[in-house]
Amino acid sequence: MPGGRLVASTDAIGVTMPAETVVPPRFRTPEPRLRLHAAFALAIAACALAAVLCALAPGRAEAAPVGPFDVEGPADAYAWDGAALSVTGDGVTIAGMADPTSAAMGDVRVAAGVGAINVGSGVRIGTLSFAEAAALRLDGAGNEVQLLDLARSSSVSGPGSITLAEVTLSLDLLPSATVTLTGSADGMSIWAGATLVLGPGASLGNITHFGGTLDLSHIVFGAPVRVLGYSVGGDYTSNTIVAPFGATRLSELMTLDHLFVNGGDTAIVEDGERVGTLQDDGSFLITATRTVTFAGWEGKVLATEEVPLFSAATAPEVVAPEGYRFTGWDVDFSHVVQDLAVTAQFEKLPDPTPQPEPAPAPPAGGSGAPSAASASTSVPASRYYPAPKKLAATGDAAGWGLGAAAAAGSAAAAAAVVAAAIGRRRG
């Protein structure tokens, strides 16, 4: 029947009783206004409960000035003794500085039994000392510690950054952490996802690179930092070395006593680009290239070459047009660092100097003046011979004049003797 249902019943001896109609009770639908009031009352009750729970929380305090720091965490887990912040329990975060505009620093002492201390942003600590191995967790950027004084090797982790001037023992850099070292440290281990940045004044005992990034881009060429040993890579590891643009080997950036390249892939990144891979001897196998295009007369392309970065291009042969000579190229291509367009340079040759025409030869058999050659051939040969250079009797030097005089005198004497003889015969 409408609005109800039939229900048949059976007695204890199995006889079916006549069905009877059961009508469900009718409920009135709540009015919308009543629903709104109930939800509002429930919200008020939830807020009141939250306030009670917060009030009953054991010693928890929001960030508040403690010495030079803003600190949050259980109130009984830290205290300022007038000289340093003492951390005696877990859950403490140094969120920042009480006066961010001040250059003031403070010391922090972490007691034995504390597993970790958290650091926010812009925290400046003079000396941070750990009584036992503990973790330093970074939640923000711009943090600074002058001296990290460790009783045992510890770790840094978290998606933040910190600058360390000096570290007394080895430090593990865990995922997401970025640590900049400006001074000395016993050793650093870089794990996947972490970054170690070395400043120009850094020095380390050893660096173990199991993944992550070693950033050497702040090191000045010609002033490598001192590192006793560097071990990088391993099976299935992926490592990155960030170097200043133009570097081609580790020895330009680190003075190493020991280098161990243990396999895996160690990428070399310069100026944001992967330019090559680290080789076993510490050199960089440069795989990045640049395009060099050579153009000749009137811009005609002579050759196009893909040149490994930091290498020299090979110039093509150049043929100068008539009336010009090739003088060289307009840009240097001995150390290619970018795509280049190299153009040949030409110089116009000077016009040739006009040459005078040769004088015409005299006609054959003509009556012209005799030439010097013919005049010389018409002079009869001399019948006289030079006198001896020395006189036989005296050994004095004799020349043409003295010899001629002697010859003339001899001839005159001979003529006189002949004349006298003829006279005697006549007489």
Side-chain angles (χ1 to χ4, degrees), residues 298-311:
E298 294 183 341
K300 180 180 179 181
V301 175
L302 303 177
T304 300
E305 182 182 4
E306 291 297 320
V307 181
L309 199 60
F310 316 131
S311 298

Side-chain angles (χ1 to χ4, degrees), residues 28-395:
R28 294 182 60 188
T29 302
E31 295 294 332
R33 181 174 299 178
L34 294 178
R35 287 182 178 179
L36 180 62
H37 291 172
F40 184 70
L42 183 60
I44 293 176
C47 291
L49 179 60
V52 171
L53 292 176
C54 291
L56 295 177
R60 182 74 186 178
E62 297 300 323
V66 179
F69 305 112
D70 269 347
V71 183
E72 61 184 31
D76 58 352
Y78 64 89
W80 176 257
D81 62 8
L85 176 68
S86 296
V87 179
T88 56
D90 288 319
V92 175
T93 297
I94 305 176
M97 303 302 292
D99 182 3
T101 64
S102 172
M105 289 187 172
D107 294 340
V108 178
R109 293 192 293 263
V110 180
V114 177
I117 183 171
N118 305 309
V119 173
S121 300
V123 176
R124 297 183 298 275
I125 299 175
T127 298
L128 173 58
S129 59
F130 289 173
E132 291 181 352
L136 177 61
R137 295 174 180 165
L138 307 175
D139 295 324
N143 300 298
E144 178 184 352
V145 174
Q146 292 296 309
L147 172 62
L148 181 56
D149 187 11
L150 304 175
R152 297 178 61 185
S153 297
S154 298
S155 65
V156 179
S157 63
S161 63
I162 192 167
T163 298
L164 305 176
E166 184 178 355
V167 184
T168 57
L169 291 178
S170 297
L171 196 63
D172 285 330
L173 277 57
L174 301 181
S176 302
T178 298
V179 174
T180 298
L181 180 66
T182 60
S184 62
D186 184 68
M188 296 277 187
S189 294
I190 311 169
W191 296 87
T195 299
L196 172 61
V197 182
L198 296 186
S203 63
L204 288 103
N206 295 283
I207 299 175
T208 305
H209 196 170
F210 291 122
T213 301
L214 174 62
D215 189 344
L216 306 176
S217 63
H218 301 278
I219 297 175
V220 180
F221 274 112
V225 298
R226 176 67 175 156
V227 179
L228 179 63
Y230 177 49
S231 177
V232 57
D235 293 340
Y236 312 112
T237 62
S238 179
N239 315 285
T240 300
I241 296 175
V242 180
F245 190 75
T248 57
R249 58 188 311 109
L250 277 179
S251 59
E252 296 172 336
L253 309 172
M254 295 191 295
T255 301
L256 295 170
D257 289 351
H258 306 284
L259 172 64
F260 304 96
V261 180
N262 307 309
D265 177 38
T266 301
I268 305 300
V269 175
E270 298 184 7
D271 199 22
E273 175 188 8
R274 176 168 182 166
V275 299
T277 302
L278 179 67
Q279 301 189 98
D280 291 348
D281 63 353
S283 63
F284 301 163
L285 175 62
I286 302 298
T287 55
T289 61
R290 297 294 185 266
T291 302
V292 179
T293 303
F294 291 93
W297 180 254
E298 294 183 341
K300 180 180 179 181
V301 175
L302 303 177
T304 300
E305 182 182 4
E306 291 297 320
V307 181
L309 199 60
F310 316 131
S311 298
T314 302
E317 183 180 355
V318 178
V319 178
E322 184 178 356
Y324 290 84
R325 69 181 182 92
F326 170 65
T327 59
W329 303 97
D330 63 341
V331 295
D332 177 53
F333 49 86
S334 62
H335 186 77
V336 176
V337 297
Q338 61 185 353
D339 293 341
L340 286 179
V342 186
T343 303
Q345 303 296 292
F346 299 93
E347 181 180 69
K348 183 175 177 58
L349 295 174
D351 294 332
T353 303
Q355 300 295 324
E357 295 184 0
S367 58
S371 65
S374 61
S376 63
T377 56
S378 65
V379 177
S382 175
R383 293 176 296 174
Y384 300 99
Y385 297 94
K389 294 184 179 180
K390 291 187 179 181
L391 299 178
T394 64

